[in-house]
Amino acid sequence: MPNNCATVRPSDLVQPYFALAGRKRKEKIPNMPGIYRMSADLIAHDIKTLFASGVDKILLFGIARFKDPSGFEAIDAQGAIQHTILQLRSLFGKKITIITDVCLCGFTDHGHCGILKGEKIDTEKTLAVLGAIAISHARAGADFVAPSAMTRGQVKAVRAALDRAGFHETGIWAYAVKYASSFYGPFREALGSAPKFGDRRAYQMNPADTVWAVRSALQDQKDGANVLMVKPAIPYLDVLYQLKQRTKLPVAAYQVSGEYAMLKTAAAVGAFNEKKAVLETLGAVKRAGAGLIVTYYAGQAAEWLA
Ligand code: PBG
């Protein structure tokens, strides 16, 4: 009998990390037990355990030291994320796949994902800055950049910027479908990136919609994306499934911070067996069509699978 079951393997999983500047720094994140902001040296140490469990892909976020209206530090070659990429690449060579988040919300003092004109995103300026951030990550050694600002045209602009700078080999891991979701709460505490006014509904997708979401993901494909990601995961399995039917590109899903918090909290009060429940959710995400799953449980799940 052919095995048609959607079995999750460690090589499907991607572990997110939050990079801090400096050395020997490790900070807890509220509502995300077991997940820390860490400096490059401690991230590198943690990755050795990750490798041992069979996970070799990471998604990196940078934590800003200073914030200003333009998010200037995001393009700093000496920034926490750029420094961490360099370190990991020199320590682990091609053994590790490094995906980097390209956005401004963690670097701007207003917490929005782009440069503002009044209270609105200035699309042209934002696209230029996203291109510059992507180049700084590529130069440090990122395998994929993942533009997550949800500025219209971001994939095309980032691809063009990378190509102009000669980084033809750097791929684009597109946040192709990113809903304006409640489930990003703990992440925003990790980055201190909650918007200071308004919300992200002007640039993130409406949870009630699927048609525009799938169409816009396919536009990212035309614009040069190499991976199409849907986020969050569990609340949007229908979207994941629909997208999978309509593309030949690898499809990824992001089990986000709020999904992690929900599982952790319920497990902590004894509502269910954590291992079984988590593996069940990851199996569901794979069954719906994601061959790649970004999850804060990556390392732990891989150990459970062994
Ligand atoms: C940056 C970004 C966010 C997440 C990933 N990239 C936050 C947001 O859009 O507000 C959320 C990830 C998570 O919740 O785990 N824009």
Side-chain angles (χ1 to χ4, degrees):
M1 269 248 299
N3 180 6
N4 290 326
C5 292
T7 312
V8 178
R9 293 160 310 179
S11 57
D12 303 330
L13 304 175
V14 181
Q15 179 74 48
Y17 284 101
F18 299 102
L20 277 175
R23 297 188 37 125
K24 300 216 181 325
R25 291 180 65 202
K26 181 170 181 171
E27 298 173 358
K28 286 190 174 164
I29 300 169
N31 295 318
M32 297 184 77
I35 304 295
Y36 302 87
R37 308 185 192 93
M38 289 187 280
S39 50
D41 51 334
L42 299 186
I43 292 179
H45 184 75
D46 203 80
I47 285 174
K48 290 182 189 149
T49 321
L50 198 66
F51 282 160
S53 68
V55 178
D56 60 1
K57 299 174 196 68
I58 69 162
L59 172 60
L60 257 191
F61 295 92
I63 306 287
R65 284 160 297 182
F66 305 105
K67 299 194 182 195
D68 69 357
S70 70
F72 190 67
E73 193 183 310
I75 61 169
D76 184 355
Q78 254 57 248
I81 185 166
Q82 289 84 354
H83 172 72
T84 304
I85 302 166
L86 272 167
Q87 290 278 308
L88 298 179
R89 185 61 71 211
S90 78
L91 278 170
F92 302 120
K94 279 287 160 197
K95 189 169 162 16
I96 187 167
T97 299
I98 304 175
I99 305 143
T100 62
D101 191 83
V102 172
C103 195
L104 278 162
C105 60
F107 296 89
T108 52
D109 54 6
H110 45 72
H112 279 286
C113 298
I115 309 292
L116 297 180
K117 185 162 59 186
E119 297 209 338
K120 290 221 171 81
I121 300 287
D122 183 327
T123 303
E124 222 171 292
K125 279 191 188 157
T126 301
L127 291 178
V129 178
L130 295 176
I133 300 172
I135 290 171
S136 78
H137 294 180
R139 186 167 286 134
D143 295 292
F144 292 91
V145 293
S148 74
M150 305 318 284
T151 314
R152 197 180 286 219
Q154 61 181 3
V155 170
K156 198 174 194 175
V158 166
R159 183 68 270 158
L162 289 171
D163 288 343
R164 271 198 307 275
F167 295 108
H168 306 286
E169 302 302 313
T170 311
I172 297 192
W173 188 290
Y175 280 85
V177 179
K178 179 169 172 181
Y179 283 101
S181 169
S182 302
F183 290 96
Y184 310 146
F187 173 95
R188 290 178 186 171
E189 286 204 55
L191 258 69
S193 66
K196 296 289 177 296
F197 61 87
D199 54 41
R200 304 208 201 291
R201 282 182 300 173
Y203 42 96
Q204 298 185 348
M205 294 166 182
N206 173 3
D209 162 88
T210 53
V211 174
W212 164 252
V214 172
R215 193 179 296 158
S216 124
L218 296 174
Q219 183 63 45
D220 280 356
Q221 170 170 327
K222 282 202 195 109
D223 288 348
N226 303 95
V227 175
L228 299 179
M229 185 158 70
V230 174
K231 167 188 164 189
I234 292 292
Y236 299 96
L237 293 181
D238 58 326
V239 182
L240 191 59
Y241 180 79
Q242 288 189 42
L243 181 58
K244 178 67 184 171
Q245 308 310 307
R246 302 196 38 197
T247 183
K248 294 234 162 8
L249 282 183
V251 173
Y254 192 158
Q255 183 172 61
V256 298
S257 58
E259 296 179 78
Y260 178 80
M262 206 157 61
L263 288 160
K264 274 284 174 201
T265 311
V269 298
F272 48 54
N273 175 287
E274 185 177 18
K275 170 180 167 176
K276 285 189 183 159
V278 169
L279 293 180
E280 185 176 336
T281 65
L282 297 178
V285 175
K286 180 135 190 196
R287 193 187 64 231
L292 294 158
I293 308 173
V294 180
T295 170
Y296 298 93
Y297 273 111
Q300 172 71 79
E303 278 173 25
W304 283 331
L305 288 167

